[in-house]
Amino acid sequence: MGREENLHKALEILRDESLKTDSLTAIKHLPAQEGRYMDYPAEVNSALVSALKDKGFERLYSHQHACWEAVKKGGNPVVVTPTASGKTLCYNLPVLDTILKDPSARALYLFPTKALANDQRAELDETIARLPGEIRIFTYDGDTPQDARRAIRARGHIILTNPDMLHAGILPHHTKWIKLFENLKYVVIDELHNYRGIFGSHLANILRRLKRVAAFYGANPQFILCTATIANPLEMAEKMIEAPVTLIDDNGAPRGEKYVLFYVPPVVNPALGIRRSYVNESRRVASIFLHQNLQTIVFAQSRLVTEVLLTYLKEDLEKTIKQEGLIRGYRGGYLPIKRREIEKGLREGKILGVVSTNALELGIDIGTLDVAVLASYPGTIASTWQRIGRAGRKTGASAAVLVASSAPLDQFIVHNPDYFFAKSAERALINPDNLTILINHIECAAFELPFQDGENFGRAEIGEILKFLEEEKFLHHAKDKWYWTSDAYPADGVSLRSISSDNFVVVDTTDKIRIIAEVDFSAALTTLHEKAIYICEGEQYYVEKLDFAERKAYVKKTDIDYYTDAIDYTKIKILDEFDRKHLDRFDIRHGDVHVATQVVGFKKIKFHTQENVGAGDLSLPQNEMSTTAWWATIPADLLAGLAYDPEEKINGLYGLSYIVHNVAPLFLMCDIHDLGVSIGDNSTGESIPPKDVLAKVQQGPGFASLEPNFEPNIFLYDNYPGGIGLSPSLFDLDKKLLEYCQKTIAACPCKSGCPSCVGPVYESGESAKEVAVAILSRLLA
């Protein structure tokens, strides 16, 4: 049987098995798409055209041609097309053409990971080997040997690097990179959708610094940006580079037919809404395709799940010595030589299956596979399509299966396939002017070059910040300039993946003392408290001591069957209201809030069953911050009119806050941990403690005081000081957020509450689902 017959047979087996349990919620057939081609423009260097034709690129896709035209007109194109649609040539074509015509020209390529930079290096090497003359390309990252760095700085035409290296290794040492900055013609930013939230806000400021240094040397580079499908590529790109951008989103690449299936594990306990393990179901689904000899990639959300699935699939497929190595794992932590070997094995068809974290989601060349199985929803529609796109050839059929976990977001997606297959609803958000991030990069920029009086930093006015830094003895003002005077090297103190650099290090004392991880301040309080189980690369560690003053957590390896989940109590105080909307039955607002969070205890949660098997009390320092928040106010008369007792009403609010918190990331392209949730009383300003700390907290409203004037606010706040732009986007949704929460609860078969809707009964309480449904139906009537 041929490959396509095998694929259709496997799909039939999966469909027939799923009919028994009603597990398939969608089977979407995406028909093949013909390619749209254009000839190479006449002005492209003839040797470059010959080299590309020799590689098999006889003509350009229409979007590649459109990108060329935009660049030649002096624009900054952002290319928005699917995986494997030839985005790489969109930027390699103008860059290589320019260097062939002007050998002094330079280009800087930014990739989010070292693996992707190395892969693109290999692609460039193949093209350059076919060209006359010498075009020198170099990868410049933390692995680059010191003795090679001088040659790279002097001789490199194209430098492939990442934001971390640009931030700490290139910009602060720009005087060693004069050749690059004097002749910088292009800056390429690949996988733009990865640079959102904190990371993206930092990158936007790094690009402000880059443009400032380039201008000092007389250069004004063009930007070429590439991204997966997001709702706001133009807005995102313009905010990132602070310049006009040309949108190119009409994909001209061919595509073979594809089947996309949504699979929901069957319910095994209807009362509690408990489903079969999504990990076991992903194993079963992947095995169906692998047994038909179809090359398959399985995506897992964590390193631990990756290794578990790898073990299961090896047991299923590698029955003899000859079959060893048919199934491989791929994740961060593997040595580069091992990763290259796996990539090559996939391209050559020697490896039948691979289980990967998101490390293979990006554009690393692993050839064209037959099937992609996604073990739980990746969190964004953009990432889901990236992973689905890993299966599929330019001709012939392929398939992708999303196996949903019990998380509300997963359940919403699989029960609302029309939402998923419509235009992406997610907006990639950044906030370059977050005050903490902005000050960090102004310090770095002042170290690189003094600021002039009246100079802006990008579009940000910074006069007051410069005065503040002078008061703090970081800057000195002389004549009309602001000079860096501190002994500190500011770039070293700035982490691009957190707002504050006040991090904790995790020290393993099991055998010899070694540092195994670094955790940002806010996460340390909930993950590194004493008696916590800290998990790093699938290994469990027991936290023996948290040294707050030294910012160190001392841990020892352990092997137990539970993990810990911190119980915290958040108090919110409204500082300023930016805007308010009255939506028929309720109000929504957004503004500045003060958030004070204290960890007061922890739960012990058993692996696999998620049972609560114990608890402990804690008393840690309070963590305070000012940030931005969205909140919905439920009218007091609406709540008072519900025929439930006060405790049931509170349980309903817990359930409603749970589902709102879990569904909101659907619209924001963020992780659930980027948002915090809390319930407050609009009439008194008091905060309602979580159910599991209600008995522990001495002050605050008791159940008896909830009526008749209790008017609850449900807050969703940016979990970072100063905010990263999430709350205004929630405000713009109007009723949509609560409407989608209502849909998610309605699709859940449980009776009283479960992790897929309003939270487990033991967390949200009795009647939580019933009351949450009653509140939503009245708010949205």
Side-chain angles (χ1 to χ4, degrees):
M1 272 177 35
R3 197 188 57 80
E4 290 211 20
E5 289 86 350
N6 286 351
L7 181 68
H8 286 109
K9 184 181 176 184
L11 288 169
E12 278 178 31
I13 294 168
L14 178 59
R15 189 192 61 200
D16 292 346
E17 287 188 9
S18 303
L19 282 172
K20 302 168 194 168
T21 53
D22 200 23
S23 293
L24 281 178
T25 61
I27 303 176
K28 179 82 170 177
H29 176 244
L30 303 176
Q33 180 177 291
E34 291 291 320
R36 285 177 288 121
Y37 301 92
M38 298 185 76
D39 291 331
Y40 286 95
E43 63 269 30
V44 179
N45 182 282
S46 58
L48 178 56
V49 173
S50 298
L52 291 170
K53 285 183 175 179
D54 191 47
K55 282 186 70 183
F57 304 125
E58 288 296 326
R59 288 185 293 167
L60 295 177
Y61 299 140
S62 56
H63 63 273
Q64 294 169 336
H65 191 277
C67 185
W68 167 272
E69 292 295 328
V71 171
K72 287 303 133 185
K73 288 175 183 171
N76 302 299
V78 57
V79 182
V80 190
T81 56
T83 309
S85 58
K87 287 196 281 277
T88 301
L89 195 54
C90 288
Y91 51 80
N92 280 345
L93 185 67
V95 169
L96 293 173
D97 180 71
T98 299
I99 294 170
L100 285 167
K101 291 170 181 172
D102 174 12
S104 68
R106 298 290 187 267
L108 186 69
Y109 285 21
L110 284 181
F111 298 102
T113 66
K114 287 193 279 190
L116 187 54
N118 287 328
D119 190 68
Q120 296 299 331
R121 164 80 191 266
E123 169 74 21
L124 271 169
D125 280 339
E126 285 181 20
T127 307
I128 287 167
R130 295 169 164 84
L131 291 173
E134 188 182 14
I135 296 180
R136 296 177 294 274
I137 58 171
F138 296 103
T139 304
Y140 192 81
D141 57 32
D143 296 335
T144 305
Q146 289 293 333
D147 56 355
R149 295 186 178 194
R150 182 178 294 179
I152 292 171
R153 290 193 288 258
R155 301 176 64 241
H157 284 106
I158 302 173
I159 305 297
L160 286 71
T161 189
N162 54 62
D164 302 86
M165 205 63 185
L166 179 60
H167 158 66
I170 295 177
L171 289 172
H173 307 291
H174 60 84
T175 53
K176 297 178 179 177
W177 292 87
I178 293 174
K179 270 262 194 325
L180 173 71
F181 287 114
E182 277 182 338
N183 300 287
L184 188 59
K185 295 288 188 286
Y186 299 107
V187 177
V188 171
I189 303 173
D190 201 2
E191 308 287 353
L192 177 67
H193 60 282
N194 273 277
Y195 301 114
R196 56 187 189 266
I198 298 297
F199 194 22
S201 303
H202 276 293
L203 178 61
N205 279 287
I206 293 168
L207 295 178
R208 286 170 168 173
R209 289 162 52 197
L210 170 67
K211 289 166 79 173
R212 190 167 175 261
V213 169
F216 176 76
Y217 289 103
N220 181 24
Q222 284 176 261
F223 287 81
I224 305 173
L225 308 101
C226 297
T227 177
T229 305
I230 54 176
N232 61 333
L234 201 62
E235 174 202 349
M236 166 77 164
E238 287 185 345
K239 206 166 188 180
M240 184 65 77
I241 68 170
E242 296 186 317
V245 169
T246 306
L247 179 64
I248 293 165
D249 60 354
D250 187 13
N251 177 30
R255 182 190 69 203
E257 67 172 333
K258 190 186 293 283
Y259 296 89
V260 181
L261 296 84
F262 284 180
Y263 181 95
V264 58
V267 174
V268 291
N269 184 329
L272 296 177
I274 295 172
R275 297 179 180 275
R276 277 190 205 157
S277 159
Y278 80 93
V279 176
N280 284 331
E281 292 301 284
S282 299
R283 166 197 189 172
R284 198 177 61 77
V285 169
S287 290
I288 290 171
F289 292 106
L290 289 164
H291 279 119
Q292 295 300 319
N293 211 34
L294 294 163
Q295 214 176 4
T296 301
I297 182 167
V298 182
F299 282 106
Q301 284 295 86
S302 69
R303 293 176 175 188
L304 181 61
V305 174
T306 300
E307 296 297 346
V308 169
L309 274 169
L310 178 62
T311 305
Y312 288 166
L313 290 172
K314 277 182 171 290
E315 286 174 11
D316 293 346
L317 272 296
E318 295 181 1
K319 306 283 190 191
T320 67
I321 293 174
K322 280 186 178 178
Q323 293 170 314
E324 275 186 24
L326 271 181
I327 312 295
R328 301 291 295 271
Y330 189 103
R331 60 171 177 79
Y334 286 7
L335 292 173
I337 192 165
K338 191 175 191 179
R339 291 204 297 265
R340 298 297 89 76
E341 175 209 327
I342 295 166
E343 291 160 19
K344 187 167 182 271
L346 284 166
R347 283 195 297 270
E348 294 174 353
K350 292 176 182 173
I351 293 173
L352 183 63
V354 63
V355 186
S356 173
T357 58
N358 63 350
L360 279 178
E361 178 185 314
L362 303 177
I364 295 163
D365 182 16
I366 52 170
T368 43
L369 310 179
D370 300 310
V371 181
V373 175
L374 283 60
S376 84
Y377 179 61
T380 68
I381 290 173
S383 286
T384 307
W385 280 115
Q386 285 278 97
R387 295 181 186 191
I388 287 172
R390 275 322 203 162
R393 293 168 159 78
K394 287 172 182 160
T395 58
S398 63
V401 185
L402 168 61
V403 180
S405 76
S406 293
L409 203 52
D410 289 49
Q411 293 299 312
F412 177 86
I413 289 291
V414 295
H415 286 109
N416 294 275
D418 290 343
Y419 171 84
F420 177 84
F421 290 110
K423 183 85 173 162
S424 167
E426 297 157 344
R427 299 172 70 238
L429 301 171
I430 58 172
N431 180 16
D433 295 333
N434 174 291
L435 191 58
T436 309
I437 293 175
L438 184 62
I439 288 174
N440 281 336
H441 287 281
I442 288 170
E443 290 177 2
C444 295
F447 175 89
E448 289 151 11
L449 291 168
F451 279 100
Q452 294 270 0
D453 279 346
E455 182 182 346
N456 283 359
F457 185 52
R459 292 176 180 166
E461 293 182 8
I462 59 170
E464 292 301 314
I465 295 174
L466 295 176
K467 288 175 187 171
F468 164 75
L469 291 173
E470 183 184 33
E471 289 168 13
E472 296 294 313
K473 309 292 189 224
F474 288 109
L475 298 182
H476 173 67
H477 187 242
K479 294 185 179 176
D480 59 348
K481 291 187 178 176
W482 300 82
Y483 296 90
W484 181 259
T485 56
S486 169
D487 291 338
Y489 176 65
D492 264 358
V494 179
S495 166
L496 301 189
R497 286 156 188 82
S498 65
I499 283 188
S500 167
S501 56
D502 195 12
N503 294 347
F504 283 73
V505 292
V506 183
V507 183
D508 178 15
T509 61
T510 311
D511 297 316
K512 57 182 182 181
I513 291 178
R514 64 191 183 108
I515 293 172
I516 57 169
E518 189 173 353
V519 177
D520 67 72
F521 183 89
S522 57
L525 298 174
T526 55
T527 58
L528 292 175
H529 57 79
E530 288 174 10
K531 303 177 190 173
I533 301 301
Y534 179 71
I535 301 175
C536 180
E537 292 195 34
E539 298 275 1
Q540 292 170 285
Y541 298 86
Y542 179 81
V543 181
E544 295 186 314
K545 181 185 175 187
L546 179 64
D547 188 334
F548 217 79
E550 294 294 321
R551 300 290 194 261
K552 290 179 180 175
Y554 295 92
V555 302
K556 265 193 176 169
K557 264 191 191 177
T558 186
D559 186 16
I560 46 182
D561 64 349
Y562 70 85
Y563 63 93
T564 51
D565 186 17
I567 303 166
D568 56 25
Y569 175 23
T570 297
K571 296 179 182 179
I572 287 195
K573 182 180 178 184
I574 299 168
L575 300 176
D576 190 15
E577 185 181 303
F578 299 154
D579 208 348
R580 174 198 294 238
K581 286 180 191 170
H582 182 67
L583 304 173
D584 299 331
R585 306 295 303 278
F586 66 104
D587 289 349
I588 59 168
R589 289 173 277 177
H590 81 102
D592 274 338
V593 294
H594 178 267
V595 179
T597 303
Q598 185 162 22
V599 177
V600 294
F602 64 93
K603 296 174 284 190
K604 297 176 181 178
I605 309 293
K606 202 165 186 177
F607 283 116
H608 306 299
T609 65
Q610 306 299 299
E611 290 174 81
N612 187 337
V613 292
D617 293 338
L618 294 167
S619 181
L620 291 175
Q622 194 166 264
N623 185 30
E624 299 185 35
M625 67 175 175
S626 291
T627 185
T628 54
W630 165 95
W631 63 98
T633 304
I634 300 168
D637 59 342
L638 186 150
L639 195 69
L642 296 175
Y644 299 97
D645 65 40
E647 182 170 355
E648 288 176 317
K649 291 178 184 179
I650 282 287
N651 291 346
L653 291 171
Y654 288 139
L656 185 54
S657 65
Y658 177 94
I659 187 72
V660 167
H661 186 212
N662 278 272
V663 169
L666 186 69
F667 303 97
L668 299 176
M669 208 171 181
C670 73
D671 187 86
I672 191 169
H673 301 296
D674 293 335
L675 285 169
V677 64
S678 185
I679 304 171
D681 184 349
N682 196 46
S683 57
T684 66
E686 293 286 342
S687 294
I688 310 300
K691 189 172 184 63
D692 37 19
V693 296
L694 199 59
K696 298 175 188 285
V697 178
Q698 299 302 311
Q699 297 179 337
F703 290 133
S705 68
L706 296 187
E707 300 201 33
N709 300 320
F710 177 55
E711 190 168 64
N713 287 326
I714 293 180
F715 291 92
L716 287 179
Y717 58 88
D718 289 27
N719 223 344
Y720 301 95
I724 52 171
L726 303 180
S727 56
S729 295
L730 288 171
F731 183 77
D732 291 341
L733 292 172
D734 294 343
K735 288 184 179 180
K736 193 183 279 187
L737 176 58
L738 294 190
E739 287 169 348
Y740 279 51
C741 291
Q742 190 178 42
K743 281 185 183 180
T744 306
I745 297 175
C748 187
C750 76
K751 183 181 174 185
S752 306
C754 70
S756 299
C757 58
V758 297
V761 174
Y762 64 80
E763 282 190 12
S764 297
E766 294 295 331
S767 306
K769 184 172 185 177
E770 188 182 332
V771 178
V773 167
I775 293 171
L776 283 170
S777 62
R778 283 161 177 76
L779 290 176
L780 299 170

